[in-house]
Amino acid sequence: MARNKYDVDESLETQFDVNQLKRLFHYIKPYRNKMIFVIIIMLTASALSMLGPKLLMVVMDNYIPNENISGIVKMSILYLIVVLVIVITLRIKIKCMAQIGQDIIHQIRRDLFVHLQELPFSYYDDRPHGKIQVRVVNYVNNISDLLSNGIINTITDLFSLVFIIIFMLTINVKLTLICLCGIPVMVAFLITIKKKQRSAWQKLSNKSSNLNAYIAESMNGIRVTQSFVREETNSNIFNTLSDNYRSAWMEAVHYNFMLSPLVDNISAITTSIIYVLGISWLVGGVNGVTIGTLVAFASYISRFWAPITNMASFYNSLLTAISYLERIFETIDEPVDVKDAPDAITMPPIYGDVEFKNVYFSYEKENPILRNVSFKINKGESYAIVGPTGAGKTTIINLLSRFYNLDSGQILIDGIDINTVTIKSLRSQMGVMLQDSFIFSGTIMDNIRYGNMIATDEEVIEAAKTVCAHDFIMQMENGYLTEVNERGNRLSAGQRQLISFARALLANPKILILDEATSSIDTETEIALQEGLNRLLKNRTSFIIAHRLSTIKNSTCIMYVDKGEIIEKGSHDELIRYGGEYKELYMSQYKFLLNN
């Protein structure tokens, strides 16, 4: 997949093969009994529909010449019953297949979503989120019709074609053979355009993915767009992507639309030949052709090409669906790099000792982020991590939570290598507040309870009070039941951080990780918050990343990290006395505060 680019086409990392179609039928398998039932009733209806021309032939050749009114009435009633049966079976088929199709779509989409939740951060770091979203929604929707109608219709049409040919052969063998002459022409045409047709639909899926990626990015960044008056420029980019999609669409449907005129032309030609020969044989009295025979056969000709046209449309739909199935199964097959070892154990209740031993890590192998990082923290101690942007501070705590795999080294909690325990049992005992204070759509109460779904309302409120969020929450129209939209746009940055803070605390973690937890909080709130923090951090192992050094002066130990290495380590007073990078950073902030 294109790496973080909305204007670069995705390249398939796993090419389609026939086994992926087998995987699709794996989703269909649980519904095979229902589908067999639908096929049976549709075949029954198809067989009954073949009686129409036969009944008409009998009426025209026998009952009308003999003025048999009673026979004509009986045939009319019989034909009416046949039509009613066909209508009822069609209704049953539509209802059943709609339900089956949507159930299958739901299962595919569920498998996609579940797998996406298991994929590591690195997967999302490398991909535009719009290109991921389009696979879960659009691509799955695009195979809906194939599952709901295409498969059943094709099977039914195939048997209908057999029935039609049998009935045609019973009427006149020579006329039937003339009718069949057009099929090899159509098959040769399909083989000729198959490769170009599939390539065109793959190109269309790329352009659709690019367009969705840009729309998602634009919506997320709408405030920045309007702040920098980028509306016109962004509209031009959108128009370019939309034009590319439109061109790809026209190319793809061009091949699809070529098939229907071909079938119509072949049908018209063969029908014309049959009429010419049939009339000449009728006049000459050869080959047993009668008026009733010719009328019945003409009726079967139109029925003969209808299922062929439908099967050709199914072929088009199948090629279209293949271009989407490739993307869907590629996502489902994306390896989960950060996962439980086969023999992983449940993490025992955490005591709080943490040790990094010779840890090396890189997002890209040629660009190491952490180099030989080693330190040990005992239960109840708080370690602050400071340093310049891009030094590796956040990476250290991400590794502790096992969001990424180490290149080498070990991370131990209470002497247990975290790679040997289940991820769920590890993370459930840790509270993490990342730099991005993400707020979900829903109530404030739900957002705080997100990390501990069994917490009572009283516990939620107590956590909010601890982080000084209670007062501003109660000032909102519905207090804790106030609805907030996605990303919490109704809230200020500081309010979002306080809610995220309460969420982390409510989980009652044994290890607490705070990544710039107070960066958007005003100084007055921070002072009030500090008392609650001190109470919370007591006897709890904690890691704190902060650029505002006033918040970490009381930490047990402060580590200055630069270029992936621990340059300095010690308490605030020790590092000030040492006179190194930390002191320089602290004094620069102190002077800035004095000047302002």
Side-chain angles (χ1 to χ4, degrees):
M1 188 182 289
R3 300 299 190 247
N4 285 324
K5 294 287 287 181
Y6 59 79
D7 56 351
V8 177
D9 290 343
E10 299 172 284
S11 59
L12 276 172
E13 297 171 9
T14 303
Q15 292 298 321
F16 182 85
D17 59 57
V18 70
N19 290 324
Q20 292 188 354
L21 270 182
K22 292 180 181 178
R23 291 177 64 178
L24 178 61
F25 284 105
H26 170 74
Y27 286 97
I28 298 173
K29 189 176 180 180
Y31 304 94
R32 61 183 180 275
N33 291 336
K34 289 184 178 179
M35 294 182 73
I36 290 172
F37 166 73
V38 174
I39 290 172
I40 290 173
I41 64 171
M42 289 305 297
L43 290 179
T44 302
S46 178
L48 289 174
S49 69
M50 296 302 107
L51 291 175
K54 270 282 189 181
L55 298 177
L56 181 62
M57 185 178 71
V58 172
V59 169
M60 294 188 68
D61 286 345
N62 298 321
Y63 294 164
I64 291 178
N66 297 324
E67 298 182 358
N68 187 345
I69 303 299
S70 174
I72 294 175
V73 171
K74 289 178 181 178
M75 287 295 178
S76 299
I77 294 173
L78 179 60
Y79 186 72
L80 178 61
I81 293 172
V82 168
V83 171
L84 289 175
V85 172
I86 292 172
V87 170
I88 293 171
T89 55
L90 183 60
R91 179 179 176 83
I92 294 172
K93 175 253 183 182
I94 291 173
K95 184 176 181 179
C96 288
M97 289 313 302
Q99 182 64 51
I100 291 171
Q102 287 307 306
D103 286 348
I104 295 172
I105 289 298
H106 167 73
Q107 188 60 46
I108 294 174
R109 185 174 284 125
R110 178 186 177 278
D111 288 351
L112 259 175
F113 184 74
V114 169
H115 188 69
L116 285 170
Q117 290 189 102
E118 295 174 348
L119 290 173
F121 283 7
S122 56
Y123 179 82
Y124 298 95
D125 293 341
D126 290 343
R127 291 158 172 81
H129 293 177
K131 291 193 176 188
I132 300 173
Q133 180 177 314
V134 73
R135 298 187 178 209
V136 182
V137 182
N138 298 39
Y139 290 178
V140 176
N141 284 343
N142 285 330
I143 65 173
S144 175
D145 187 60
L146 178 74
L147 296 171
S148 297
N149 298 301
I151 295 173
I152 291 295
N153 286 348
T154 300
I155 295 174
T156 304
D157 287 333
L158 183 61
F159 279 96
S160 295
L161 186 61
V162 173
F163 292 150
I164 292 169
I165 293 174
I166 291 173
F167 275 92
M168 290 170 67
L169 287 171
T170 61
I171 294 175
N172 192 288
V173 175
K174 290 184 178 180
L175 292 178
T176 302
L177 294 176
I178 294 171
C179 189
L180 293 175
C181 288
I183 293 181
V185 177
M186 187 184 72
V187 172
F189 176 77
L190 291 176
I191 294 173
T192 302
I193 69 169
K194 179 182 71 172
K195 187 174 182 180
K196 290 183 178 179
Q197 190 176 8
R198 179 172 171 233
S199 176
W201 282 105
Q202 286 178 335
K203 180 180 178 182
L204 177 64
S205 68
N206 282 335
K207 302 308 178 185
S208 172
S209 180
N210 294 345
L211 185 60
N212 276 272
Y214 187 70
I215 291 172
E217 180 181 295
S218 298
M219 296 303 99
N220 288 333
I222 190 65
R223 285 171 172 76
V224 178
T225 295
Q226 294 184 0
S227 298
F228 287 90
V229 198
R230 280 267 305 188
E231 292 92 340
E232 185 175 350
T233 302
N234 289 4
S235 294
N236 291 334
I237 295 173
F238 174 84
N239 288 337
T240 300
L241 295 172
S242 184
D243 284 341
N244 291 339
Y245 174 82
R246 180 175 56 184
S247 299
W249 169 262
M250 294 303 297
E251 181 182 354
V253 298
H254 167 72
Y255 292 106
N256 280 20
F257 291 159
M258 288 173 67
L259 188 58
S260 181
L262 175 70
V263 173
D264 290 341
N265 288 332
I266 294 175
S267 173
I269 293 171
T270 54
T271 302
S272 299
I273 294 173
I274 287 170
Y275 271 125
V276 171
L277 291 177
I279 292 173
S280 64
W281 292 344
L282 176 64
V283 173
V286 297
N287 295 317
V289 175
T290 64
I291 293 177
T293 300
L294 194 58
V295 172
F297 203 88
S299 177
Y300 279 123
I301 291 174
S302 62
R303 293 168 183 250
F304 172 80
W305 286 106
I308 291 178
T309 302
N310 292 339
M311 286 189 287
S313 298
F314 173 76
Y315 175 81
N316 282 335
S317 299
L318 184 62
L319 286 181
T320 303
I322 284 173
S323 68
Y324 297 119
L325 285 172
E326 289 171 326
R327 312 291 182 178
I328 293 169
F329 288 135
E330 181 190 51
T331 305
I332 292 178
D333 292 338
E334 188 71 30
V336 181
D337 296 326
V338 181
K339 60 183 178 180
D340 295 338
D343 57 348
I345 62 173
T346 300
M347 184 73 189
I350 290 177
Y351 178 74
D353 294 339
V354 177
E355 182 177 7
F356 276 57
K357 297 177 67 174
N358 309 115
V359 170
Y360 286 82
F361 174 77
S362 59
Y363 295 106
E364 299 173 351
K365 291 190 180 298
E366 65 277 6
N367 185 24
I369 302 299
L370 298 181
R371 301 178 179 86
N372 196 29
V373 171
S374 297
F375 63 88
K376 185 174 183 180
I377 175 172
N378 297 318
K379 176 191 175 183
E381 293 182 336
S382 59
Y383 264 47
I385 308 173
V386 300
T389 301
K393 304 184 296 296
T394 299
T395 300
I396 290 175
I397 63 172
N398 281 340
L399 294 178
L400 179 61
S401 301
R402 277 206 70 195
F403 292 137
Y404 300 91
N405 288 324
L406 305 179
D407 291 347
S408 63
Q410 282 185 305
I411 299 177
L412 308 175
I413 296 181
D414 300 335
I416 301 174
D417 189 332
I418 63 173
N419 285 324
T420 65
V421 302
T422 62
I423 294 174
K424 182 177 181 180
S425 65
L426 171 68
R427 293 178 184 166
S428 63
Q429 300 187 65
M430 302 173 68
V432 182
M433 181 175 170
L434 302 174
Q435 287 173 311
D436 182 12
S437 302
F438 195 93
I439 301 297
F440 297 90
S441 57
T443 66
I444 293 177
M445 180 77 75
D446 290 339
N447 269 279
I448 296 175
R449 192 182 275 130
Y450 192 84
N452 182 3
M453 297 304 295
I454 63 173
T456 64
D457 291 354
E458 290 74 20
E459 290 171 331
V460 171
I461 294 171
E462 184 59 32
K465 288 180 177 178
T466 301
V467 301
C468 302
H470 178 74
D471 289 343
F472 88 79
I473 293 173
M474 293 306 296
Q475 291 174 5
M476 303 188 77
E477 61 267 26
N478 295 312
Y480 285 85
L481 299 181
T482 301
E483 294 281 342
V484 291
N485 52 5
E486 183 183 348
R487 302 193 71 87
N489 292 331
R490 290 185 57 192
L491 306 170
S492 70
Q495 289 172 335
R496 291 197 297 270
Q497 279 201 324
L498 290 176
I499 290 174
S500 297
F501 215 152
R503 177 195 298 161
L505 305 189
L506 187 63
N508 192 27
K510 302 297 177 65
I511 296 176
L512 183 63
I513 297 172
L514 307 177
D515 187 355
E516 294 294 340
T518 60
S519 60
S520 298
I521 299 172
D522 60 80
T523 304
E524 183 179 348
T525 303
E526 183 186 347
I527 293 172
L529 175 63
Q530 197 65 47
E531 182 181 347
L533 274 178
N534 292 336
R535 187 168 65 249
L536 177 77
L537 296 179
K538 187 177 181 181
N539 297 322
R540 194 188 305 269
T541 304
S542 58
F543 290 82
I544 305 170
I545 295 177
H547 286 102
R548 195 183 297 176
L549 302 184
S550 59
T551 63
I552 61 169
K553 287 176 61 176
N554 296 326
S555 298
T556 307
C557 181
I558 299 172
M559 296 189 298
Y560 187 93
V561 178
D562 191 14
K563 297 179 181 178
E565 297 180 1
I566 299 175
I567 306 301
E568 299 170 9
K569 184 170 67 172
S571 67
H572 172 77
D573 293 337
E574 289 171 344
L575 292 178
I576 292 296
R577 287 195 300 269
Y578 178 72
E581 297 289 343
Y582 175 78
K583 179 181 179 180
E584 183 177 341
L585 179 64
Y586 179 79
M587 294 307 295
S588 65
Q589 285 196 13
Y590 183 71
K591 290 177 182 177
F592 176 81
L593 291 174
L594 287 178
N595 292 333
N596 289 274

